[in-house]
Amino acid sequence: MTRITPTIRLACAVVVACALLAGCGLSGSSKNGREPLADMDMQGAAEQADRMFYATVGAIKPEVEWTYRATTTGSCDVTRYWTVMTVVSEQRRGNFLGVVERFWKSSDYRIKTVNPSKNMPAIYARSPEGFGIRVKIGYKGQAFLQVTSPCVGESKVAVPTKMANGLMYDGKIPTPNVRSDFWSAETPVPGTTPAS
């Protein structure tokens, strides 16, 4: 009769753990690897990106005007881009980004990186499904949002069904041209301390 020593038990435990971990990669539902998400193709990923964007801008009050900018595809991922046409003043950028960050956290998104740049601040996050999402303030206070899918099955991708909540633009999208009494105001939000 073979005696099972602690060393043999440990070796068996390591072999079982490795087998279980290796099996996880076969499910086809990797969020960070290159295996496609199960039951999702590029069109489905684009539609999920749209839902994430609509929910995010829906949380911004007062409402901002935005327009669809582009869709790109990689070897197995999809990225949607949108541009905010409402001017977000330097004094209100922190409030704008704060609204977005709080919504993402309440939606169980994980905040990955915050760039506190005075001129081009940005926040990067990841959804529970593995979609990356970014908001960035650019030139003249123009906000840009981007959603990138994890690896999914290949398919054709249609443009969003909702292209804008304001004007649509042919060719190059201009710098922000919509004024908001709140977001474009060049004073801090009452009751807040101005950023140093």
Side-chain angles (χ1 to χ4, degrees), residues 23-129:
C24 292
L26 302 176
S27 66
S29 59
S30 171
K31 293 178 184 176
N32 299 314
R34 301 308 289 172
E35 302 86 5
L37 281 179
D39 302 321
M40 184 174 286
D41 60 13
M42 288 180 167
Q43 179 60 35
E47 291 170 2
Q48 173 63 14
D50 294 342
R51 287 189 288 273
M52 291 170 64
F53 169 74
Y54 300 146
T56 297
V57 293
I60 299 171
K61 305 294 181 192
E63 184 181 54
V64 293
E65 283 196 21
W66 54 266
T67 190
Y68 165 72
R69 188 157 57 102
T71 297
T72 60
T73 56
S75 59
C76 66
D77 56 29
V78 180
T79 301
R80 289 274 216 219
Y81 302 88
W82 297 268
T83 301
V84 174
M85 301 310 301
T86 301
V87 176
V88 181
S89 71
E90 183 178 334
Q91 293 82 358
R92 301 291 169 105
R93 290 174 193 172
N95 301 96
F96 182 90
L97 294 171
V99 168
V100 172
E101 183 175 10
R102 284 191 296 276
F103 173 73
W104 287 351
K105 286 181 176 177
S106 72
S107 302
D108 294 327
Y109 293 3
R110 186 161 59 95
I111 304 301
K112 302 278 289 178
T113 306
V114 175
N115 178 356
S117 164
K118 182 177 179 181
N119 296 322
M120 301 182 80
I123 302 172
Y124 299 78
R126 185 171 300 280
S127 77
E129 302 80 21

